[in-house]
């Protein structure tokens, strides 16, 4: 637990820091032996993807149900009059979200909240797309214009520490009741507009919750979170202390063409497993027109303005079995056109079904779109190249 957030490129390791790290723990996170550890978060508790139907979990009254947000998971820590905001990746992001840090100053000392950072425009009924939130990351300076265009709200869904006491071993329902009390004390003030509370979704049957889940997309959500009322707050993706499940919407998907490949990492370092996929700029008028584009790519001829072409839009490296990766690797090696360092361009021959969680317009990408969490759902040997999807079909998936 003490190692979470402990490493920092700006801090030089020392004997004293090591000794403070391994000194016996007294159970009080607010009384850290190492002053630099005062603002550290807790290890994050992670959810499991729901396998099968929710009825297998037992009666629905044994679960708390919330929306699954499409934001940045974070913990807000308030101790000794100071505030720290930590991402799930153990990055200190306080400076990137000054409005959250300012609002959290109103929290009592010894408070740690778990929740989600979201761009939420004033008066809007739903959060903005994730790409809006990305504008706030990796920025050393946040101008007034960006702060106004992408205001951030922290939506809390768990209380991990209260008055300096670790609550993680308390049941989910008990922590939820305490969280509602903490939020209630802030709701009437300015802090309550920035520090929100994740609402519970109400239902008497799993069928009722399934109906709510179908509305998640239009609400800017990814689905539902199911949290066992008796669950403690565990560490990592464990089921020993209780269970959280994510019941996500089915991913969006398109059929796309493999155009670049790069070697993987770890045990896949000897195979080409990281791929770039493209869609047609428009629907080919015929098989022959599509084949002409493939031939031009094989001859290294640049695409002509306004002509049919394949536009790269996503990279993916997961979703296939080891046997499927090995088969694609053989095709990549046999159809390589050029090498650019670790990347190979390949003659377009393979179509894949690509799934992703969300899509939005993006001026940073040549295709004009950006997708969230792309992955390969399956190979499509039954799909000819000219029947792969198009940029207009991608744009049609963007929710207004």
């Amino acid at each position: 637990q003490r190692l979470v957030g402990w490493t920092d490129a700006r801090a030089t390791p020392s004997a004293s820091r090591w000794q403070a790290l391994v000194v016996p723990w007294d159970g009080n996170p607010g009384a850290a032996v190492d002053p630099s550890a005062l603002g550290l978060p807790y290890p994050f508790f992670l959810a499991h993807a729901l396998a099968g139907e929710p009825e297998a979990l037992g009666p629905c009254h044994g679960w708390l149900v919330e929306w699954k947000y499409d934001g940045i998971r974070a913990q807000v820590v308030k101790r000794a009059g100071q505030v720290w905001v930590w991402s799930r990746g153990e990055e200190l992001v306080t400076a990137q979200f000054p409005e959250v840090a300012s609002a959290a100053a109103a929290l009592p000392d010894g408070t740690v909240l778990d929740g989600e950072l979201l761009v939420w425009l004033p008066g809007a009924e739903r959060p903005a797309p994730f790409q809006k939130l990305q504008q706030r990351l990796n920025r050393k300076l946040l101008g007034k214009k960006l702060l106004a265009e992408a205001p951030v709200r922290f939506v809390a869904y768990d209380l991990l520490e209260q008055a300096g006491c670790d609550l993680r071993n308390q049941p989910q329902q008990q922590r939820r009741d305490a969280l509602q009390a903490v939020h209630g004390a802030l709701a009437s003030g300015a802090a309550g507009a920035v520090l929100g509370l994740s609402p519970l979704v109400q239902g008497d049957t799993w069928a009722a919750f399934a109906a709510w889940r179908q509305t998640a997309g239009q609400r800017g959500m990814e689905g539902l979170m199911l949290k066992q009322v008796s669950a403690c707050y565990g560490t990592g993706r464990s089921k020993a202390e209780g269970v959280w499940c994510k019941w996500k919407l089915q991913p969006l998907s398109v059929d796309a063409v493999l155009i670049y490949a790069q070697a993987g990492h770890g045990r896949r370092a000897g195979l080409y497993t990281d791929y770039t996929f493209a869609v047609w700029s428009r629907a080919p008028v015929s098989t022959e027109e599509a084949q002409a584009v493939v031939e031009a790519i094989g001859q290294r001829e640049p695409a002509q303005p306004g002509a049919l072409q394949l536009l790269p839009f996503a990279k993916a490296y997961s979703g296939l079995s080891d046997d499927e990766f090995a088969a694609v690797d053989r095709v990549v090696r046999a159809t390589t056109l050029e090498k650019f360092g670790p990347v190979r361009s390949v003659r377009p021959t393979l179509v894949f079904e690509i799934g992703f969680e969300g899509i939005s317009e993006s001026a940073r990408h040549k295709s004009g779109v950006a997708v969230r969490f792309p992955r390969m759902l399956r190979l499509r040997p039954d799909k000819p190249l000219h029947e792969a999807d198009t940029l207009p079909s991608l744009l049609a998936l963007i929710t207004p």
Side-chain angles (χ1 to χ4, degrees):
Q1 175 176 316
R2 291 184 184 178
L3 281 170
V4 177
W6 188 77
T7 55
D8 188 332
R10 297 166 295 181
T12 303
S14 64
S16 61
R17 288 195 75 203
W18 166 255
Q19 290 167 352
L21 187 66
V22 298
V23 75
W25 177 250
D26 66 2
N28 181 6
V33 177
D34 180 1
S36 68
L38 180 63
L40 295 188
Y42 290 99
F44 283 82
F45 187 36
L46 306 180
H48 294 262
L50 180 64
E53 298 301 321
E55 284 79 5
L57 300 175
C60 64
H61 61 255
W63 298 80
L64 297 181
V65 180
E66 302 173 41
W67 295 110
K68 187 180 187 314
Y69 298 96
D70 185 16
I72 294 175
R73 179 89 178 270
Q75 286 183 31
V76 173
V77 178
K78 169 72 185 297
R79 299 190 185 116
Q82 299 180 69
V83 173
W84 297 264
V85 182
W86 292 90
S87 74
R88 178 185 151 186
E90 298 182 33
E91 294 177 304
L92 190 60
V93 294
T94 317
Q96 283 85 355
F97 304 103
E99 65 267 70
V100 174
S102 178
L107 292 168
D109 273 347
T111 300
V112 179
L113 302 175
D114 182 17
E116 205 91 5
L117 293 163
L118 301 158
V119 168
W120 208 310
L121 301 175
E125 296 183 354
R126 50 178 282 180
F130 180 82
Q131 285 71 21
K132 198 77 172 175
L133 184 62
Q134 283 183 309
Q135 298 176 17
R136 298 284 294 268
L137 300 178
N138 303 319
R139 293 286 188 99
K140 292 183 179 180
L141 295 175
L142 297 174
K144 292 182 180 180
K145 184 174 183 291
L146 180 59
L147 289 172
E149 292 178 348
V152 168
R153 183 185 301 180
F154 178 80
V155 178
Y157 42 66
D158 217 322
L159 180 63
L160 311 186
E161 183 182 322
Q162 186 175 33
C165 295
D166 184 348
L167 304 185
R168 292 176 300 159
N169 287 328
Q170 294 185 5
Q172 184 78 49
Q173 183 67 68
Q174 192 169 333
R175 298 198 311 278
R176 172 73 193 197
D177 293 342
L179 174 63
Q180 291 181 174
V182 169
H183 180 262
L186 299 175
S188 59
V194 179
L195 299 181
L197 176 68
S198 175
L200 293 177
V201 180
Q202 303 297 329
D204 296 325
T205 65
W206 286 121
F209 287 120
W212 279 116
R213 174 174 168 263
Q214 292 304 314
T215 71
Q218 66 194 57
R219 297 171 183 270
M221 310 297 181
E222 293 185 324
L224 296 175
M225 289 293 299
L226 314 179
K227 300 178 179 180
Q228 209 170 25
V229 295
S230 59
C232 298
Y233 190 94
T235 298
R237 195 166 274 107
S238 166
K239 293 185 177 181
E241 296 87 359
V243 178
W244 285 7
C245 289
K246 47 189 178 184
W247 190 16
K248 299 176 71 172
L249 293 172
Q250 291 298 315
L252 302 169
S253 67
V254 295
D255 293 324
V257 180
L258 173 65
I259 59 170
Y260 296 110
Q262 185 171 347
H265 304 278
R267 67 185 183 89
R268 290 178 175 164
L271 293 173
Y272 285 91
T273 60
D274 296 10
Y275 310 136
T276 298
F277 296 95
V279 291
W280 294 109
S281 56
R282 58 168 173 77
V285 296
S286 64
T287 304
E288 291 73 23
E289 185 186 26
Q291 189 59 36
V293 172
V294 173
E295 295 299 330
I297 292 173
Q299 297 297 322
R300 285 73 157 177
E301 296 177 6
Q304 298 302 312
L308 177 68
Q309 58 183 300
L310 285 167
L311 297 174
F313 80 99
K315 295 182 179 180
Y317 53 84
S318 64
L320 300 185
S321 67
D322 287 346
D323 288 343
E324 287 173 323
F325 273 126
V328 175
D329 177 82
R330 290 192 291 270
V331 174
V332 167
R333 295 176 188 275
T335 60
T336 294
L337 298 174
E338 293 182 271
K339 297 181 181 179
F340 308 94
V343 179
R344 294 189 179 204
S345 66
V346 299
R347 181 184 177 88
T349 61
L350 296 178
V351 177
F352 292 69
E353 183 178 4
I354 307 300
F356 43 92
E357 302 301 324
I359 180 172
S360 63
E361 295 183 8
S362 172
R364 295 173 55 240
H365 296 80
K366 183 179 179 180
S367 63
V369 299
V371 296
R372 285 266 284 156
F373 301 130
R375 59 204 183 270
M376 293 167 278
L377 300 180
R378 57 173 174 154
L379 277 159
R380 294 297 309 268
D382 59 312
K383 177 82 71 170
L385 287 179
H386 70 277
E387 291 184 6
D389 278 302
T390 65
L391 181 59
S393 62
L394 268 178
L395 293 172
L397 297 175
I398 298 176
T399 303

